[in-house]
Amino acid sequence: PALCISRCCECEEDFKPRRIKAPFVLAWLVLQAMGMLFQASMFYEIWGHLDTFEAALAANCGPQHQQQGICLGPSWNLSYSQVF
């Protein structure tokens, strides 16, 4: 790719392929691995919160808690009487 770019402009000396030292490659791979671990931990944390939300929704929005298609949770009456 560097040769193709150098043919388009008059900067042949700037676009020379260079060797990358092994410590830089290792640091880049470690950084990528840490990013993948962080993304996996975020995925599992979000998954846990989603399970908690679905469990709360199932417990508080069952057929006995719905009126005219609206879910009324256990604290709805308290917030209704205080707000309005």
Side-chain angles (χ1 to χ4, degrees):
L3 294 175
C4 294
I5 294 172
S6 68
R7 290 181 188 145
C8 296
C9 62
E10 297 179 16
C11 48
E12 295 175 10
E13 296 157 6
D14 292 339
F15 293 108
K16 290 182 182 176
R18 297 187 176 129
R19 288 191 152 297
I20 298 175
K21 306 255 184 205
F24 292 120
V25 173
L26 181 63
W28 179 254
L29 291 175
V30 167
L31 181 69
Q32 293 296 316
M34 288 173 46
M36 288 173 43
L37 289 174
F38 178 73
Q39 288 179 356
S41 71
M42 291 296 289
F43 175 75
Y44 286 118
E45 183 177 352
I46 291 170
W47 191 16
H49 288 299
L50 184 60
D51 286 342
T52 305
F53 174 73
E54 288 178 354
L57 195 61
N60 296 322
C61 270
Q64 68 274 17
H65 293 289
Q66 289 188 5
Q67 293 179 356
Q68 299 175 353
I70 298 173
C71 176
L72 301 176
S75 62
W76 172 257
N77 291 335
L78 178 65
S79 63
Y80 180 76
S81 64
Q82 290 179 355
V83 172
F84 294 108

